[in-house]
């Protein structure tokens, strides 16, 4: 899964490089599509595999055989967690042998059944005009985030089309998000002191990196639809606003 994530991150980076070098919006659209696919790739692969097995014209007997091996893999995996130390090594050996058998069966299907391969690895193409049609009005905005260990990407979609921004990603963003989850918000809203300033510092860091860069697009908008990524899923974006004192958040 990590390799898949790295491939998508490289694809987004290269697409954005080309967009900044040429100002061709088609490259920005490619970067956005890769961002979308990166979020759904693992789930989509599992869904596609089940669909491909059922619709690729594979003989019923072979499907039943593969399903039986898959069930044995799951049983062996569960047995590992329930076994004692003396049995654990033998259970692990059984599990890995069954898993290899299952993976070989799937690999054989990919190699010798073109229909299965095409169905399994097909991916939906995101049509920008259809996405724009889903945006209800001029007061609404779709904002999607993607980041890797180098860059942070923000894609903004409105009735006017797609815009994109890239800036350096800082691990401090993740640190601030996780720190905010430990704060008792009500306590810090009611009290004054050093902890309040720490709370504000975390919020301002997140605002400066996640919302301030797209302020030009979000001004006068009444509805923002946020599509987060990674650790951003743990952030309440409605907390983010520019502030210098706790009173601003009250």
């Amino acid at each position: 899964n990590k390799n898949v994530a790295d491939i998508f991150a490289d694809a987004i980076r290269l697409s954005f490089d080309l967009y900044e070098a040429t100002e061709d919006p088609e490259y920005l659209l490619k970067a956005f599509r890769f961002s979308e696919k990166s979020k759904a790739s693992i789930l989509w692969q599992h869904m596609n595999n089940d669909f491909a097995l059922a619709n690729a014209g594979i003989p019923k007997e072979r499907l039943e055989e593969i399903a039986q091996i898959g069930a044995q893999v799951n049983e062996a995996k569960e047995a590992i967690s329930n076994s004692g130390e003396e049995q654990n090594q033998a259970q692990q050996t059984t599990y890995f042998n069954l898993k290899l058998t299952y993976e070989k069966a799937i690999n054989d299907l990919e190699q010798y059944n073109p229909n299965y391969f095409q169905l399994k690895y097909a991916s939906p193409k995101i049509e920008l005009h259809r996405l724009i049609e889903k945006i209800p009005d001029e007061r609404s905005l779709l904002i999607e985030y993607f980041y890797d260990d180098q860059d942070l990407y923000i894609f903004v979609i409105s009735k006017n089309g797609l815009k994109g921004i890239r800036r350096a990603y800082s691990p401090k963003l993740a640190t601030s998000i996780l720190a905010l989850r430990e704060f008792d918000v009500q306590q810090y809203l009611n009290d004054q002191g050093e902890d309040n300033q720490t709370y504000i510092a975390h919020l301002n860091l997140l605002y400066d990196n996640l919302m301030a860069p797209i302020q030009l697009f979000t001004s006068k908008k009444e509805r923002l639809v946020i599509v987060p990524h990674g650790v951003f899923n743990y952030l309440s974006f409605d907390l983010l606003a520019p502030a210098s004192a706790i009173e601003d958040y009250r």
Side-chain angles (χ1 to χ4, degrees):
N1 292 348
K2 184 178 185 301
N3 289 336
V4 172
D6 289 342
I7 290 171
F8 277 117
D10 289 342
I12 294 169
R13 183 178 302 110
L14 290 172
S15 297
F16 223 95
D17 286 345
L18 290 169
Y19 167 64
E20 291 180 338
T22 65
E23 298 184 355
D24 184 344
E26 187 62 29
Y27 290 119
L28 178 60
L29 179 57
K30 288 181 181 294
F32 173 71
R33 284 174 174 163
F34 285 127
S35 174
E36 284 281 296
K37 289 182 178 180
S38 73
K39 294 177 173 62
S41 61
I42 297 175
L43 175 61
W44 186 256
Q45 284 177 23
H46 285 296
M47 292 173 61
N48 267 18
N49 185 56
D50 293 340
F51 178 80
L53 285 171
N55 294 276
I58 301 169
K60 181 180 179 182
E61 295 77 11
R62 183 57 175 156
L63 286 176
E64 291 176 350
E65 181 182 349
I66 292 173
Q68 183 177 4
I69 299 172
Q72 291 173 345
V73 170
N74 292 332
E75 290 174 2
K77 185 176 182 180
E78 184 176 351
I80 292 175
S81 60
N82 296 330
S83 63
E85 290 185 9
E86 296 181 359
Q87 297 177 320
N88 191 265
Q89 185 172 356
Q91 296 286 3
Q92 287 187 0
T93 300
T94 300
Y95 167 71
F96 286 120
N97 286 338
L98 285 168
K99 189 174 181 182
L100 286 173
T101 301
Y102 181 80
E103 289 176 352
K104 183 180 184 303
I106 295 298
N107 289 337
D108 287 345
L109 285 179
E110 292 184 4
Q111 185 173 356
Y112 299 112
N113 190 314
N115 288 338
Y116 171 77
F117 184 90
Q118 291 175 5
L119 288 170
K120 180 178 179 180
Y121 291 103
S123 59
K125 184 177 181 180
I126 299 169
E127 299 291 350
L128 181 60
H129 70 275
R130 292 185 178 179
L131 194 55
I132 292 175
E133 289 173 358
K134 298 290 184 180
I135 297 176
D137 50 49
E138 296 286 348
R139 298 168 297 175
S140 302
L141 207 62
L142 174 66
I143 305 170
E144 177 164 326
Y145 294 88
F146 180 90
Y147 67 88
D148 57 20
D149 56 356
Q150 298 181 42
D151 297 309
L152 166 65
Y153 303 88
I154 309 176
F155 300 97
V156 180
I157 298 179
S158 68
K159 283 294 187 183
N160 296 322
L162 171 67
K163 302 293 183 183
I165 292 175
R166 174 168 62 178
R167 55 188 294 126
Y169 173 75
S170 170
K172 292 180 180 179
L173 297 178
T175 302
S176 288
I177 291 172
L178 297 177
L180 288 176
R181 290 173 60 82
E182 302 298 324
F183 275 86
D184 183 338
V185 177
Q186 193 59 46
Q187 174 184 345
Y188 294 111
L189 288 177
N190 293 333
D191 298 335
Q192 299 291 333
E194 183 178 345
D195 286 335
N196 282 359
Q197 296 306 313
T198 301
Y199 182 74
I200 292 172
H202 286 309
L203 290 172
N204 281 341
L205 174 69
L206 292 166
Y207 175 83
D208 290 343
N209 282 270
L210 301 180
M211 298 305 296
I214 56 174
Q215 189 174 10
L216 176 65
F217 308 119
T218 58
S219 62
K220 299 181 180 180
K221 301 297 182 183
E222 298 179 4
R223 183 186 184 192
L224 304 181
V225 179
I226 306 291
V227 182
H229 175 235
V231 73
F232 297 166
N233 283 282
Y234 298 102
L235 173 64
S236 296
F237 278 80
D238 54 346
L239 288 175
L240 303 185
S244 58
I246 199 68
E247 286 79 7
D248 295 331
Y249 285 105
R250 289 200 181 104

